[in-house]
Amino acid sequence: MATSTATEKDAIVRAGGDVQNGFPEGITSLLDTDLYKLTMQCAVLKYFPDVDVTYSFTNRTKHMKLTRRAFRWLEAQVARLGSISVTPQEIQYLERVCPFLTQPYLTFLRAFRLQPAKHVRVIFQTTDTPDDDDDDDDSRGDTDFDIRGRWVDTILYEIVLLALTSEAYFRFCDRDWTYEGQEDKAERKGVTLLQYGCHFSEFGTRRRRDYHTQDLVLRGLARAARTCGESGHTGRLLGTSNVHFAMKYGLEPVGTVAHEWTMGIAAITNNYEDANETALRYWICTFGTGVLSMALTDTFGTPAFLRAFQKEVPEYTSAELGMGATLASTGALEKLSSTTARLSQTQAPFQAPIKPVRSHQKDGHEQSNGTVRDGETKQKRRTYAETFTGVRQDSGSPAEFIDMMRDFYSSQGIPTTEKVIIFSDSLNIDLCLEYKGEAERHGFTPTFGIGTFLTNDFDRKSSSSSSSSSSSPRDDSENGEKPVKSKPMNIVIKLSSAQGRPAVKISDNIGKNTGDEATVREVKRRLGYVEHD
């Protein structure tokens, strides 16, 4: 079992954790978050440093309510977030392992502090009967967060608040579980995935039971990777989305972008017709091509995204810094492309410039004045679909998504053998194996981002412990009855407005629609969105 360093013990003490057992309580590092929160914060700092936003919290497991005691712990943990800063060692790590993060951003991050007293209000509304004592520590109620402030200042709250809420519930409200066997269970799952040739990453921070659980899981997965690597299996543990744990265990930090990026740009511009392309364009301008190049397709439905994905990447990306980028277009009538003449020209980072590629057609050479010399090869800019390594599937039917992407790449003359699909929607081992077979049948390279199944997979302590300890990683039982599951919370925090306009997400199925209902209906109408169950 790994021991805590002096620095880690200091962090545990500051967070009120248990030094003797080495179990941190709450959040002790700003890097204890998903990589894509840092990459998006980097891009937001570049283009939208003065944009005001709000976020909304939803508990989809409404029956799983916090007690007042749990709420008070949560409130105290949120307040403690303001005392955390990035350490010099963490900055050095980011410089070494994440060279795509720009120096202006790392300079910003050195001085960055969360300010929960300014940006976050934690709300508790009792749901017990009127006769109950409202001040009773065991009284239960609905928890909510009011999160508002500049986008660049508030973007890091999502993951940490979700992780803290889950920890509060399972620390105080549901204690019928134990850490026993978690590391071994994660190892068995990892071995099974690796033996079947799966390439996967751990994506479980936002809904983990607590920090210690995720620590145990990653130890187990690392053991599985060593064992299977020595045995010559073709599967691979690609890394973890959690930057802190990647640093702690020498894993690759993985992730690109979340729906939030496109949602925010669409709300800021009120131009949903061009929001996908604008988001892609600004992203490439921030980081260049060839890095952070897995595209998330379903913010406003994959068909709308693919209309943008087939466009050429501009040699220079048109963008306007700061508040100038927040001017809305006139609904669907004024396209962003029509305003480029008044936007500044922003060159991609010199480390990864956007370069045109030569076309395979011998149709002449285009001069600066637009003419072409006969017999020479015309230069052709690559499309986003050519430039990005692949796509992430996060909603809807995976089988239909695979078919859609196969047809799309075929229509663009792009071999599926050159592209990756990341699956990340509510995965377990059986689903990974099913999607792997289907994706490979169409020539894609499949990878998997596995979250809750790894970091919040517990059995009730009061159910049979013997069946749990001998369980198969695929169905958690080999003989006899299955143990009773200790179900995780299903909670989300989503961007709800940007620059005073509602921010919405439509996805590829109605169950994942989020945001203002009237705006959702209007965006569906404007984009010609076809409803899916």
Side-chain angles (χ1 to χ4, degrees):
M1 181 175 177
T3 58
S4 298
T5 66
T7 301
E8 288 173 330
K9 288 179 179 178
D10 289 343
I12 292 169
V13 170
R14 287 196 302 272
D18 184 342
V19 175
Q20 183 177 357
N21 292 319
F23 301 170
E25 186 174 298
I27 303 295
T28 63
S29 168
L30 282 182
L31 298 194
D32 187 6
T33 190
D34 287 338
L35 176 65
Y36 67 34
K37 299 304 290 190
L38 302 184
T39 58
M40 289 191 297
Q41 189 181 41
C42 178
V44 168
L45 177 68
K46 180 179 178 69
Y47 289 119
F48 307 108
D50 299 317
V51 169
D52 290 324
V53 301
T54 62
Y55 292 84
S56 63
F57 170 82
T58 302
N59 181 1
R60 294 169 177 164
T61 42
K62 296 183 182 298
H63 63 287
M64 300 175 77
K65 302 178 186 294
L66 296 189
T67 61
R68 189 173 292 279
R69 179 184 287 108
F71 167 77
R72 286 170 176 157
W73 178 90
L74 175 62
E75 197 173 35
Q77 292 299 322
V78 171
R80 287 193 179 108
L81 293 174
S83 66
I84 304 171
S85 60
V86 178
T87 68
Q89 293 79 12
E90 289 173 330
I91 290 292
Q92 291 169 9
Y93 170 80
L94 293 176
E95 288 177 327
R96 185 178 73 257
V97 178
C98 304
F100 43 81
L101 295 176
T102 65
Q103 282 303 316
Y105 172 66
L106 292 177
T107 299
F108 165 85
L109 195 60
R110 284 184 177 92
F112 179 76
R113 300 290 187 279
L114 292 171
Q115 302 177 65
K118 180 179 179 181
H119 299 134
V120 182
R121 187 164 64 97
V122 193
I123 302 164
F124 183 82
Q125 182 64 48
T126 183
T127 56
D128 285 341
T129 61
D131 293 335
D132 292 329
D133 182 0
D134 283 348
D135 292 326
D136 181 3
D137 280 348
D138 294 323
S139 63
R140 293 186 179 251
D142 292 323
T143 303
D144 200 358
F145 296 98
D146 180 7
I147 308 163
R148 59 186 65 239
R150 293 192 311 170
W151 198 2
V152 73
D153 294 328
T154 57
I155 194 169
L156 298 188
Y157 283 113
E158 176 195 359
I159 305 299
V160 297
L161 293 182
L162 291 173
L164 287 171
T165 302
S166 179
E167 182 173 350
Y169 182 82
F170 289 105
R171 178 177 288 270
F172 296 99
C173 308
D174 180 356
R175 293 298 306 157
D176 189 12
W177 57 276
T178 175
Y179 294 117
E180 184 178 356
Q182 278 292 304
E183 186 172 342
D184 291 340
K185 180 186 283 189
E187 182 181 16
R188 292 196 302 272
K189 290 175 179 178
V191 167
T192 302
L193 288 163
L194 295 168
Q195 286 177 340
Y196 278 95
C198 292
H199 290 201
F200 71 97
S201 303
E202 182 274 316
F203 273 20
T205 303
R206 66 181 56 235
R207 290 181 189 161
R208 70 190 185 194
R209 190 141 296 201
D210 59 11
Y211 177 97
H212 185 56
T213 300
Q214 191 169 14
D215 199 19
L216 291 172
V217 165
L218 283 163
R219 290 184 211 169
L221 294 178
R223 272 172 31 195
R226 288 193 297 270
T227 300
C228 292
E230 294 167 357
S231 302
H233 293 295
T234 58
R236 185 182 170 198
L237 173 61
L238 299 175
T240 172
S241 62
N242 186 294
V243 185
H244 164 76
F245 281 114
M247 179 178 174
K248 182 174 182 178
Y249 288 113
L251 297 170
E252 187 76 17
V254 296
T256 300
V257 69
H259 301 100
E260 176 179 353
W261 175 244
T262 307
M263 291 168 65
I265 287 174
I268 289 165
T269 63
N270 193 28
N271 185 349
Y272 287 86
E273 291 78 5
D274 295 319
N276 282 304
E277 199 272 335
T278 305
L280 291 168
R281 181 184 296 191
Y282 282 27
W283 193 257
I284 284 181
C285 184
T286 303
F287 301 107
T289 57
V291 293
L292 301 175
S293 58
M294 295 300 301
L296 184 56
T297 67
D298 66 334
T299 306
F300 304 121
T302 295
F305 175 85
L306 295 181
R307 293 195 290 270
F309 209 39
Q310 63 188 329
K311 295 181 179 180
E312 290 184 351
V313 179
E315 190 168 358
Y316 297 95
T317 296
S318 299
E320 192 167 11
L321 298 177
M323 292 299 292
T326 69
L327 299 175
S329 61
T330 308
L333 299 178
E334 184 183 347
K335 307 296 186 185
L336 186 65
S337 57
S338 69
T339 68
T340 55
R342 62 180 172 80
L343 298 180
S344 61
Q345 294 295 311
T346 306
Q347 205 170 349
F350 71 91
Q351 305 97 314
I354 302 171
K355 296 179 179 178
V357 296
R358 291 190 178 277
S359 167
H360 296 296
Q361 300 176 359
K362 294 282 287 185
D363 58 355
H365 181 71
E366 188 171 6
Q367 302 296 294
S368 59
N369 60 3
T371 63
V372 178
R373 290 193 191 128
D374 292 338
E376 295 191 8
T377 302
K378 180 181 179 180
Q379 288 194 327
K380 176 182 178 296
R381 291 195 299 271
R382 300 179 72 182
T383 65
Y384 293 104
E386 291 173 309
T387 300
F388 277 73
T389 303
V391 293
R392 177 156 73 96
Q393 190 271 337
D394 196 53
S395 64
S397 164
E400 291 178 5
F401 182 85
I402 292 168
D403 288 343
M404 189 186 308
M405 293 312 305
R406 176 204 60 201
D407 292 345
F408 170 78
Y409 281 125
S410 176
S411 72
Q412 301 298 302
I414 302 171
T416 57
T417 52
E418 298 178 359
K419 296 301 176 182
V420 175
I421 297 180
I422 297 179
F423 298 92
S424 60
D425 186 16
S426 305
L427 297 178
N428 58 32
I429 290 175
D430 288 334
L431 291 177
C432 287
L433 299 184
E434 177 187 338
Y435 303 160
K436 179 178 185 292
E438 187 69 13
E440 290 177 342
R441 188 167 68 84
H442 292 290
F444 291 104
T445 298
T447 68
F448 306 92
I450 308 173
T452 309
F453 177 66
L454 292 174
T455 61
N456 209 331
D457 182 17
F458 286 80
D459 302 322
R460 291 208 170 278
K461 184 169 58 176
S462 58
S463 67
S464 173
S465 60
S466 60
S467 59
S468 174
S469 62
S470 63
S471 65
S472 160
R474 295 188 62 173
D475 61 8
D476 286 329
S477 67
E478 283 182 348
N479 302 302
E481 296 182 0
K482 293 183 179 180
V484 179
K485 284 293 183 186
S486 173
K487 294 183 178 179
M489 298 187 82
N490 185 349
I491 50 180
V492 295
I493 290 176
K494 294 295 182 184
L495 188 73
S496 55
S497 74
Q499 204 59 28
R501 296 186 193 85
V504 301
K505 178 169 76 79
I506 295 176
S507 299
D508 284 332
N509 62 292
I510 194 169
K512 285 198 167 185
N513 291 180
T514 61
D516 177 71
E517 293 182 3
T519 304
V520 167
R521 289 193 298 269
E522 172 64 12
V523 172
K524 288 180 177 180
R525 183 192 66 77
R526 286 166 59 172
L527 297 181
Y529 178 87
V530 177
E531 202 69 74
H532 298 277
D533 293 331

